[in-house]
Amino acid sequence: MKIRERGVAIGKLKPGKKNCITDVEGVMVGQVTLDYPLNDNDQYVCTGVTAVLPHGGNLFREKVPAASYVINGFGKTTGLVQVEELGLIESPIMLTNTFGVPAVTQGTLEYLLRTTPEIGDTTGTVNIVVGECNDGYLNSIRTLPVKPEHALTAIENANSEIVGEGAVGAGKGMVCFGYKGGVGASSRLIGKEQSSKDYIIGCLVVTNFGNKDEFPFSKYGLSEIPLETKETPDGSIMIILATDAPFSERQLKRLAKRCGIGLGRTGSHYSNGSGDIVIAFSTARTISHQSTGHVEVAHLIRDDHPLMNKLFQGAAEAVEEAILNSLSQAETTQGRQGRVVEGMFS
Amino acid sequence: MKIRERGVAIGKLKPGKKNCITDVEGVMVGQVTLDYPLNDNDQYVCTGVTAVLPHGGNLFREKVPAASYVINGFGKTTGLVQVEELGLIESPIMLTNTFGVPAVTQGTLEYLLRTTPEIGDTTGTVNIVVGECNDGYLNSIRTLPVKPEHALTAIENANSEIVGEGAVGAGKGMVCFGYKGGVGASSRLIGKEQSSKDYIIGCLVVTNFGNKDEFPFSKYGLSEIPLETKETPDGSIMIILATDAPFSERQLKRLAKRCGIGLGRTGSHYSNGSGDIVIAFSTARTISHQSTGHVEVAHLIRDDHPLMNKLFQGAAEAVEEAILNSLSQAETTQGRQGRVVEGMFS
Amino acid sequence: MKIRERGVAIGKLKPGKKNCITDVEGVMVGQVTLDYPLNDNDQYVCTGVTAVLPHGGNLFREKVPAASYVINGFGKTTGLVQVEELGLIESPIMLTNTFGVPAVTQGTLEYLLRTTPEIGDTTGTVNIVVGECNDGYLNSIRTLPVKPEHALTAIENANSEIVGEGAVGAGKGMVCFGYKGGVGASSRLIGKEQSSKDYIIGCLVVTNFGNKDEFPFSKYGLSEIPLETKETPDGSIMIILATDAPFSERQLKRLAKRCGIGLGRTGSHYSNGSGDIVIAFSTARTISHQSTGHVEVAHLIRDDHPLMNKLFQGAAEAVEEAILNSLSQAETTQGRQGRVVEGMFS
Amino acid sequence: MKIRERGVAIGKLKPGKKNCITDVEGVMVGQVTLDYPLNDNDQYVCTGVTAVLPHGGNLFREKVPAASYVINGFGKTTGLVQVEELGLIESPIMLTNTFGVPAVTQGTLEYLLRTTPEIGDTTGTVNIVVGECNDGYLNSIRTLPVKPEHALTAIENANSEIVGEGAVGAGKGMVCFGYKGGVGASSRLIGKEQSSKDYIIGCLVVTNFGNKDEFPFSKYGLSEIPLETKETPDGSIMIILATDAPFSERQLKRLAKRCGIGLGRTGSHYSNGSGDIVIAFSTARTISHQSTGHVEVAHLIRDDHPLMNKLFQGAAEAVEEAILNSLSQAETTQGRQGRVVEGMFS
């Protein structure tokens, strides 16, 4: 159940039809969940992979404008150097556990090499973006259960339906404010009253941050839920933001910065050991890998149009709601060493 | 009256004795307020200058570790290039209206040249930090009423008392969430339970941002106050953060980033036309301009100590409370063209 | 005489007709030189102001895409926060001595208020960019001889002719590699063979950096010129880059970064006390302050087109040649305390 | 043969005993070279791995101050987000080909998990730094020949001897200015005349950048060597800088920025498709992963001491010489599709 169905509404803008990142046309999400005990009784695999595809075509051949923003950089996200330099994303955006990053990068690379034979042969290489949180409280992360093939499966699973939330995919083993966290999604409509056109912002998060005493139950009209879980170490949050508004990479970074507002409103103080990272992209245009001309045409939203402030607001609201959705949807989950993390609403 | 006296408490950490930036030992603040009609009936001078001194000595000769963080860069703050390169502040931190920046820089320069004869003669130049917000809704900003001597007076007025808040100094003409804003101050104690030593964070803001419909009255247990004021353009906030904790410039930037949490919690979405800028410094050590040796000794807090997260929390809470203090203390103010901006609690 | 006329050719690309920043159509430069003794025999005014106008119209109403890059940030350039946030320049780019920054900002502000009555009244404020170097070796910088009116005069002097080089304008008192430095200019053609269109890069520098033993006389086929001057402190260089190529602000920052190549090739190691700052803009389009629509159309060069690498090369070559032109054109100059700085070719 | 033995001397500072990154005490380098045909006649494995260890102990338990600087970000280096946030390196610095990054990260992770059982169990995760260049001109990069075990072997091979240069390790398949490039190393002594203590800067590069017409043969007193090789695509350079000078992470970034000078002096214009990335660390102190106290003591060099400028010069000179050493040492190499890249001095 999404948090909205529990009577908690975040912000003032309306969500899209699915209240999900897949409300942004073309965006697809696929997930793989790993959930099984290992021979050794105390070890448990409780992790997964989530793939976000900006569109359903060949992302290397048709790239999208993108930016990242590092709220707090205690994280191992890979691929951001080139995103920063060129303002583009040219691969699926992959999410997994911290130690799964190399395997997921490897699998995504293999997928791209298979689907795009010119990479590494007649043209250059490809930049792969993989984000992560540390699910090591529940997941036997040292056993490296995520394999390259899980990345491929996640990509192949991708579709435009409502995204599974809570303890699924990359969110399977995550912990948020001491409760079970995981995948959350949401969206915000920025309506025609602001301009001649409707725009939408979609958000997907993997939540793995926060201490219990940071979460503002009363602000959300929730009664505090008793919690037996011991204190978990500093975690992380990965935030993926999609929009169909025509943004440049500079503007996408501005939008990405507003995600920290939504995060802060849930109680986070961007703790030291947290990798709080935003990746934002626009689907309004694609940039072809090959071109005969030397000039591209870009339509870009004006920074000073009132629409921009509404889009900023939309980003902040979408992040806050996606985080709450991750908590609302996550069920009590058991992991390694018999550890249990309770769902906030279980 | 500070917001706390109105029954609104922000966060969980305790404020210092004065609940003010001057709780950080050595920090001094001085202000000059300009408030008078011009011959032309419609023109009104409603502005001022606020000076924050990291210590009472010669700041050029004894510099302090510092960092800035630009939450949103629609602003004209000067001096940040060198702060970023060297991680130091070597002048008073001056605040005024947007068009007062050159005059205040000039006045501060003259003060530094007078008190430090070696500058520009036997040694190099000096880097002056001046921040600003646009008080042009109330203040006849085009008449350039702020003069270099006002900067000198503000510096000379500096003391360690509780800082005047609301419609004073650089805050005289500022508007926040459609209500009268201005100067606000606060502090947070980070107690001994976290380490062998008490630390404190002090904050001073000049608030000039936000639209009325962004302010969360109900979250603060306040009933919405009717507002007649017309919509004001995007504004700004200047945030000055002081601490006696031994921070490096990198760590001060981390602390400065958390100020955006406090700002976001008051309802702001860092609007496009807002110059939302943080300047943070530590008083834990000074760096001498002259030295015979080639090595300095620095004591630096460990990033991974639990204390760090408490300091992050303190920064977020102090900013939120300082903003509310600016609203709580600001009285209804009249300015140019007969415009009136109501105090939220007037 | 430009360095090229002395038989020293830099790089492989051809310069434009004037070998000057004003080869970029529409760019205008104006200068004011101050050169007189003060009553006190030892004091001497030896300084000035240089104004670079991206176009001859109202820059606030028709802004240009821009970026800055800080090679080394021991400098007091003002206005960069907003350039970074919005990717625009909306004022003349002013250059002067370090302590002249507030006066020049003030004068430029007065110019903009006079020519643009809506600023600070019916619309917001304006962001002014002023760069500087410290000419305090020759100039009695503590006497603050630069006044606001000198900024106005420099702007009013602006034209599209070949720029005066050496000991003029903001370059009047500057010292470079122990020799007389100052203003230098150059340009590079990026010819049709690369694309369907010719582009040009223009450069203007104010040189005030380097120690004598860093300059590579032999590399340039010059015999080392005896130098009596005592060691001067670390200086600075301001680099203004103009192009008619259709660059985004991200791409302009990439171009600006290549200016460090040209600087390094003249022998600089970006010394600690040097403010080495690049400001780059494109004249290919303007962005109107007012607009009814919410979307802009931008034509942007493709990053991967071979043209881009030629433009990078052009930036590096233009900076190196502009630096050498400043040395080639600067005449032996006398300043305060009877100090004399020799022209390299005097 | 190092370039110095060919009569080409770079700069004015003296190299250390080995003229190698291993002149910095404690630094160790290990390499693995892969060089064999695949069944398919046209396919050839021509690649490798190079590991740089800041010290010989457990790097996770005893971290070193570090910084990165992205000269041009068309690259896939991983691990920089956390280096930027915390100013530390806690793993070997690994170098390989672009598509080898996930395998090398995986192998390094396995090494760290094996040697440090607390990672991912009782303590948090670990940040691994892997840099890369694209050796796809010679190497059948699509066949993904680099495996996790090659990373382990490179780390286990690490020692403090003179580093093998040219077509070895990560440099096996690299191409520089159209000639055979690869691994290069160098060092610079910053002597006691500057301070009470000798310091040293060591450098290791993997060169894979530049077009033939960019290399300045005449500047180096070399006669141009005929080149049959076809034009290679934009490449990259990885630059690892080590010093025993007591630098903070901010100062290490300053040092890293000067590496672009050395690169530019060899003829590079930081081409669009080049990943030109610097990673710098100091061995002057280590930061323990575990600590009981909340404060660290750091000795830091003064930015304004003349020593700093000498260290800047040392970084620029060391990079230039390391690049030339890579060219001087690299032998003519054959790769995929019968392609041959000539050594400049073969």
Side-chain angles (χ1 to χ4, degrees):
Chain A
M1 199 188 304
K2 282 188 179 265
I3 194 73
R4 204 162 270 263
E5 298 172 62
R6 298 188 195 275
V8 179
I10 304 297
K12 298 175 178 168
L13 297 170
K14 286 184 194 158
K17 274 185 199 164
K18 293 179 264 190
N19 198 6
C20 185
I21 193 171
T22 52
D23 280 323
V24 181
E25 203 182 319
V27 174
M28 299 167 74
V29 175
Q31 306 198 75
V32 167
T33 307
L34 305 182
D35 180 16
Y36 53 87
L38 291 173
N39 288 343
D40 175 347
N41 238 352
D42 281 350
Q43 299 286 2
Y44 199 94
V45 170
C46 178
T47 191
V49 179
T50 298
V52 180
L53 282 60
H55 63 67
N58 186 308
L59 285 157
F60 180 78
R61 292 183 189 144
E62 295 295 326
K63 308 171 203 294
V64 293
S68 69
Y69 177 67
V70 177
I71 299 174
N72 190 56
F74 199 121
K76 286 79 181 171
T77 295
T78 191
L80 300 191
V81 170
Q82 191 163 320
V83 171
E84 186 75 10
E85 183 74 35
L86 299 178
L88 296 174
I89 278 183
E90 60 183 15
S91 80
I93 301 162
M94 307 300 291
L95 305 169
T96 189
N97 80 56
T98 313
F99 292 167
V101 172
V104 166
T105 312
Q106 181 81 14
T108 308
L109 175 59
E110 290 170 9
Y111 164 80
L112 288 160
L113 292 179
R114 203 183 62 211
T115 55
T116 321
E118 66 269 31
I119 295 176
D121 186 10
T122 55
T123 191
T125 58
V126 59
N127 185 49
I128 296 167
V129 175
V130 185
E132 53 73 42
C133 304
N134 175 10
D135 58 13
Y137 182 78
L138 287 177
N139 179 41
S140 290
I141 192 171
R142 286 179 59 91
T143 66
L144 307 178
V146 174
K147 304 296 178 197
E149 56 264 31
H150 298 132
L152 270 87
T153 307
I155 295 169
E156 286 163 2
N157 285 350
N159 62 67
S160 297
E161 303 300 307
I162 295 186
V163 173
E165 293 174 303
V168 295
K172 178 63 192 173
M174 303 299 171
V175 182
C176 186
F177 295 116
Y179 296 92
K180 187 68 195 74
V183 172
S186 67
S187 68
R188 282 297 182 274
L189 279 167
I190 315 298
K192 254 196 271 287
E193 66 272 20
Q194 296 293 334
S195 66
S196 55
K197 197 176 170 313
D198 281 334
Y199 292 113
I200 194 154
I201 287 179
C203 180
L204 182 144
V205 297
V206 177
T207 63
N208 193 48
F209 67 95
N211 292 310
K212 191 206 162 193
D213 59 6
E214 289 179 318
F215 188 74
F217 285 97
S218 63
K219 183 188 119 178
Y220 294 122
L222 297 168
S223 47
E224 189 155 342
I225 294 115
L227 182 72
E228 297 299 322
T229 307
K230 291 187 193 71
E231 196 165 339
T232 51
D234 286 1
S236 295
I237 180 170
M238 290 297 311
I239 302 173
I240 313 299
L241 211 70
T243 184
D244 59 359
F247 271 38
S248 73
E249 59 277 16
R250 176 183 56 77
Q251 294 172 320
L252 284 165
K253 191 182 279 288
R254 299 187 85 192
L255 199 67
K257 259 191 171 181
R258 273 67 187 177
C259 293
I261 299 172
L263 177 57
R265 286 181 182 164
T266 67
S268 166
H269 297 100
Y270 316 161
S271 67
N272 166 65
S274 204
D276 302 342
I277 293 171
V278 187
I279 296 163
F281 61 86
S282 166
T283 62
R285 65 177 179 122
T286 61
I287 296 94
S288 297
H289 184 74
Q290 297 283 14
S291 172
T292 48
H294 74 283
V295 168
E296 297 278 328
V297 178
H299 290 78
L300 300 174
I301 215 164
R302 281 182 63 91
D303 285 285
D304 63 350
H305 194 278
L307 190 58
M308 186 64 91
N309 284 342
K310 286 290 169 192
L311 288 159
F312 287 169
Q313 182 181 348
E317 291 189 5
V319 169
E320 188 177 0
E321 184 153 333
I323 292 168
L324 287 171
N325 280 338
S326 80
L327 290 163
S328 181
Q329 298 270 29
E331 297 180 352
T332 298
T333 301
Q334 187 167 340
R336 71 173 177 126
Q337 298 183 341
R339 288 172 182 172
V340 173
V341 178
E342 295 179 57
M344 194 181 266
F345 301 93
S346 300
Chain B
M1 199 189 304
K2 282 188 179 265
I3 195 72
R4 203 163 270 263
E5 298 173 62
R6 297 188 195 275
V8 179
I10 304 297
K12 298 176 177 167
L13 297 169
K14 287 185 194 158
K17 274 185 198 164
K18 292 179 263 189
N19 198 7
C20 184
I21 193 171
T22 51
D23 280 323
V24 181
E25 202 182 321
V27 175
M28 299 167 73
V29 175
Q31 307 198 74
V32 167
T33 307
L34 304 182
D35 180 16
Y36 53 87
L38 292 173
N39 287 343
D40 177 346
N41 238 351
D42 281 350
Q43 298 287 2
Y44 200 95
V45 170
C46 178
T47 192
V49 179
T50 298
V52 179
L53 281 60
H55 63 68
N58 186 307
L59 285 158
F60 180 79
R61 293 181 189 146
E62 294 296 327
K63 309 171 203 292
V64 292
S68 69
Y69 176 68
V70 177
I71 299 175
N72 190 56
F74 200 121
K76 286 79 182 170
T77 294
T78 192
L80 300 191
V81 170
Q82 191 163 323
V83 171
E84 186 74 11
E85 183 73 35
L86 299 178
L88 296 172
I89 279 183
E90 60 183 15
S91 79
I93 302 162
M94 307 299 292
L95 305 168
T96 188
N97 80 57
T98 313
F99 292 167
V101 172
V104 166
T105 313
Q106 181 81 15
T108 308
L109 175 59
E110 290 171 8
Y111 164 81
L112 288 160
L113 292 179
R114 202 183 64 210
T115 55
T116 322
E118 65 270 30
I119 294 177
D121 185 11
T122 54
T123 191
T125 57
V126 59
N127 184 50
I128 296 167
V129 175
V130 185
E132 53 74 40
C133 304
N134 175 10
D135 56 14
Y137 183 79
L138 287 178
N139 179 40
S140 289
I141 191 171
R142 286 179 59 90
T143 66
L144 307 179
V146 174
K147 305 296 178 198
E149 55 264 34
H150 298 130
L152 270 86
T153 308
I155 295 169
E156 286 162 2
N157 285 348
N159 61 68
S160 296
E161 303 301 307
I162 295 186
V163 172
E165 292 173 303
V168 296
K172 177 63 192 173
M174 303 302 171
V175 183
C176 186
F177 295 116
Y179 296 93
K180 188 67 195 73
V183 173
S186 66
S187 67
R188 283 295 180 275
L189 278 167
I190 316 297
K192 252 196 273 287
E193 67 271 19
Q194 296 293 333
S195 65
S196 54
K197 197 178 169 313
D198 280 333
Y199 292 114
I200 194 153
I201 288 179
C203 180
L204 181 143
V205 297
V206 177
T207 64
N208 193 48
F209 66 94
N211 292 307
K212 190 207 163 192
D213 59 5
E214 289 179 319
F215 188 74
F217 285 98
S218 64
K219 183 188 117 176
Y220 293 122
L222 297 168
S223 46
E224 187 154 343
I225 293 117
L227 183 73
E228 296 300 320
T229 307
K230 291 186 194 71
E231 195 166 339
T232 51
D234 286 1
S236 295
I237 181 170
M238 290 296 312
I239 302 172
I240 313 300
L241 211 70
T243 184
D244 59 358
F247 270 39
S248 73
E249 59 276 15
R250 176 183 57 77
Q251 295 172 320
L252 284 166
K253 190 181 281 286
R254 300 188 83 193
L255 200 67
K257 260 192 169 179
R258 273 67 188 177
C259 293
I261 298 172
L263 177 56
R265 286 182 182 164
T266 67
S268 166
H269 298 100
Y270 316 161
S271 67
N272 165 65
S274 205
D276 301 343
I277 293 172
V278 187
I279 296 163
F281 62 86
S282 166
T283 62
R285 66 179 178 122
T286 61
I287 296 95
S288 298
H289 184 74
Q290 297 284 15
S291 173
T292 47
H294 74 283
V295 168
E296 297 279 329
V297 178
H299 290 79
L300 300 174
I301 214 163
R302 282 183 62 92
D303 286 285
D304 64 350
H305 195 278
L307 190 57
M308 185 64 90
N309 284 341
K310 285 291 169 193
L311 288 159
F312 287 168
Q313 181 181 349
E317 291 188 6
V319 169
E320 187 176 2
E321 184 153 334
I323 292 169
L324 287 171
N325 280 339
S326 80
L327 290 163
S328 181
Q329 298 269 29
E331 297 181 353
T332 297
T333 300
Q334 188 167 340
R336 70 172 178 127
Q337 299 182 340
R339 289 173 181 172
V340 173
V341 177
E342 296 180 56
M344 193 180 267
F345 301 93
S346 297
Chain C
M1 200 188 304
K2 282 189 179 264
I3 193 73
R4 204 162 270 262
E5 298 173 61
R6 297 188 195 275
V8 178
I10 304 298
K12 297 175 178 168
L13 297 169
K14 285 184 195 158
K17 273 185 200 165
K18 293 179 263 190
N19 198 7
C20 184
I21 193 172
T22 53
D23 280 323
V24 182
E25 202 182 320
V27 175
M28 299 167 73
V29 176
Q31 306 198 76
V32 168
T33 307
L34 305 182
D35 179 16
Y36 53 87
L38 290 173
N39 287 344
D40 175 348
N41 238 351
D42 282 351
Q43 299 287 2
Y44 200 95
V45 171
C46 178
T47 191
V49 180
T50 298
V52 179
L53 282 60
H55 62 68
N58 186 306
L59 285 158
F60 180 78
R61 292 182 190 145
E62 294 295 327
K63 309 171 202 290
V64 292
S68 69
Y69 177 66
V70 176
I71 299 175
N72 191 56
F74 200 122
K76 286 80 181 169
T77 294
T78 191
L80 300 191
V81 171
Q82 191 163 322
V83 171
E84 186 73 12
E85 183 74 35
L86 299 178
L88 296 173
I89 279 183
E90 59 183 15
S91 79
I93 302 161
M94 308 299 292
L95 305 169
T96 188
N97 80 56
T98 312
F99 292 168
V101 172
V104 166
T105 312
Q106 181 80 14
T108 308
L109 175 59
E110 290 170 8
Y111 164 81
L112 287 161
L113 292 180
R114 202 182 64 211
T115 56
T116 321
E118 66 269 31
I119 294 176
D121 186 10
T122 55
T123 191
T125 56
V126 59
N127 185 50
I128 296 166
V129 175
V130 184
E132 53 73 41
C133 303
N134 176 9
D135 58 13
Y137 183 78
L138 287 177
N139 178 41
S140 290
I141 191 170
R142 285 180 59 91
T143 66
L144 307 178
V146 174
K147 304 296 178 198
E149 55 264 32
H150 298 130
L152 270 86
T153 308
I155 294 169
E156 285 162 2
N157 285 349
N159 62 67
S160 296
E161 303 300 309
I162 295 186
V163 173
E165 293 174 302
V168 295
K172 178 62 192 173
M174 303 300 171
V175 183
C176 185
F177 295 116
Y179 297 93
K180 187 68 193 75
V183 174
S186 66
S187 67
R188 282 296 181 274
L189 278 167
I190 316 297
K192 253 196 273 287
E193 67 272 17
Q194 296 293 334
S195 65
S196 54
K197 197 177 170 312
D198 280 335
Y199 292 114
I200 194 153
I201 288 177
C203 180
L204 182 143
V205 297
V206 177
T207 63
N208 194 48
F209 66 95
N211 292 308
K212 191 207 160 190
D213 59 5
E214 290 179 318
F215 189 74
F217 286 97
S218 63
K219 183 189 117 176
Y220 293 123
L222 297 168
S223 47
E224 188 154 342
I225 294 115
L227 183 72
E228 297 300 321
T229 307
K230 290 186 193 71
E231 195 166 340
T232 52
D234 286 1
S236 295
I237 181 170
M238 290 296 312
I239 302 173
I240 314 298
L241 211 70
T243 183
D244 59 359
F247 270 38
S248 74
E249 59 276 16
R250 176 183 56 78
Q251 294 172 320
L252 284 165
K253 191 181 279 289
R254 300 187 84 192
L255 199 67
K257 259 190 170 180
R258 273 68 188 178
C259 293
I261 299 172
L263 177 57
R265 286 181 183 164
T266 67
S268 166
H269 298 100
Y270 316 161
S271 68
N272 165 65
S274 204
D276 301 343
I277 293 172
V278 187
I279 296 164
F281 61 87
S282 165
T283 62
R285 65 178 179 122
T286 61
I287 296 95
S288 297
H289 184 73
Q290 295 284 13
S291 172
T292 47
H294 73 282
V295 168
E296 297 279 327
V297 178
H299 290 79
L300 300 174
I301 214 163
R302 282 183 62 92
D303 286 284
D304 63 350
H305 194 278
L307 190 57
M308 185 63 90
N309 284 341
K310 285 292 170 192
L311 287 159
F312 287 168
Q313 182 180 349
E317 291 188 6
V319 169
E320 188 176 2
E321 185 153 334
I323 292 168
L324 286 171
N325 280 338
S326 79
L327 290 163
S328 181
Q329 298 269 29
E331 296 180 353
T332 297
T333 300
Q334 187 167 339
R336 71 174 177 124
Q337 299 183 339
R339 288 171 182 172
V340 173
V341 178
E342 296 179 56
M344 193 180 268
F345 301 95
S346 298
Chain D
M1 201 189 303
K2 282 188 180 264
I3 195 72
R4 203 162 270 263
E5 298 172 63
R6 297 188 195 275
V8 178
I10 305 297
K12 296 175 177 169
L13 298 169
K14 285 185 196 159
K17 274 186 199 164
K18 293 179 263 190
N19 198 7
C20 185
I21 192 171
T22 51
D23 280 323
V24 181
E25 201 182 321
V27 175
M28 299 167 74
V29 176
Q31 307 198 73
V32 167
T33 307
L34 305 182
D35 179 15
Y36 53 87
L38 292 174
N39 288 343
D40 176 347
N41 238 351
D42 282 351
Q43 299 286 2
Y44 200 95
V45 170
C46 178
T47 191
V49 179
T50 298
V52 180
L53 282 59
H55 62 68
N58 186 308
L59 285 157
F60 180 80
R61 292 183 189 143
E62 294 295 326
K63 309 171 203 292
V64 292
S68 69
Y69 177 67
V70 177
I71 299 175
N72 190 57
F74 200 122
K76 286 80 181 169
T77 294
T78 192
L80 301 191
V81 170
Q82 191 163 323
V83 171
E84 186 74 11
E85 183 73 35
L86 299 178
L88 296 173
I89 279 183
E90 60 184 15
S91 79
I93 301 163
M94 307 299 290
L95 305 169
T96 188
N97 80 57
T98 312
F99 292 167
V101 172
V104 166
T105 312
Q106 181 81 16
T108 308
L109 175 58
E110 290 170 8
Y111 164 81
L112 288 160
L113 292 179
R114 203 184 62 211
T115 55
T116 322
E118 65 269 30
I119 294 176
D121 187 10
T122 55
T123 192
T125 56
V126 59
N127 185 50
I128 296 166
V129 175
V130 185
E132 52 74 42
C133 304
N134 176 9
D135 58 13
Y137 183 79
L138 287 177
N139 179 39
S140 290
I141 191 172
R142 286 179 59 90
T143 66
L144 307 178
V146 174
K147 305 296 178 198
E149 55 264 33
H150 298 131
L152 270 86
T153 309
I155 295 169
E156 286 162 2
N157 285 348
N159 62 67
S160 297
E161 303 300 308
I162 295 186
V163 173
E165 293 173 303
V168 295
K172 178 63 192 172
M174 303 300 172
V175 182
C176 186
F177 295 116
Y179 297 92
K180 188 67 194 75
V183 173
S186 67
S187 67
R188 282 297 181 275
L189 278 166
I190 316 298
K192 254 195 272 287
E193 67 271 21
Q194 296 293 335
S195 65
S196 54
K197 197 176 169 314
D198 280 334
Y199 292 114
I200 193 154
I201 287 178
C203 180
L204 181 142
V205 297
V206 177
T207 64
N208 193 47
F209 67 95
N211 293 309
K212 191 207 161 191
D213 60 5
E214 290 179 318
F215 189 73
F217 285 98
S218 64
K219 183 187 118 178
Y220 294 122
L222 297 168
S223 47
E224 188 155 341
I225 292 115
L227 183 72
E228 297 299 321
T229 307
K230 292 186 193 69
E231 195 166 338
T232 51
D234 287 1
S236 295
I237 181 169
M238 290 298 311
I239 302 173
I240 314 300
L241 211 71
T243 184
D244 59 357
F247 271 38
S248 73
E249 58 277 15
R250 176 183 57 77
Q251 294 172 320
L252 284 165
K253 191 181 279 287
R254 298 187 86 192
L255 199 67
K257 260 191 169 180
R258 273 66 188 178
C259 293
I261 299 172
L263 178 57
R265 286 182 182 163
T266 66
S268 166
H269 297 100
Y270 316 161
S271 68
N272 166 66
S274 204
D276 302 342
I277 292 172
V278 187
I279 296 163
F281 61 86
S282 166
T283 61
R285 64 177 178 122
T286 61
I287 296 94
S288 297
H289 184 75
Q290 297 284 14
S291 172
T292 47
H294 74 282
V295 168
E296 296 279 328
V297 178
H299 290 79
L300 301 174
I301 216 164
R302 282 183 61 93
D303 286 285
D304 64 350
H305 194 278
L307 189 58
M308 185 64 89
N309 284 342
K310 284 292 168 193
L311 287 160
F312 287 169
Q313 181 180 348
E317 291 188 6
V319 170
E320 188 176 2
E321 184 152 334
I323 293 168
L324 287 171
N325 280 339
S326 80
L327 290 163
S328 181
Q329 298 269 30
E331 296 180 354
T332 298
T333 300
Q334 186 168 340
R336 71 174 177 125
Q337 298 183 341
R339 289 172 181 171
V340 173
V341 177
E342 294 179 59
M344 193 180 267
F345 301 93
S346 297

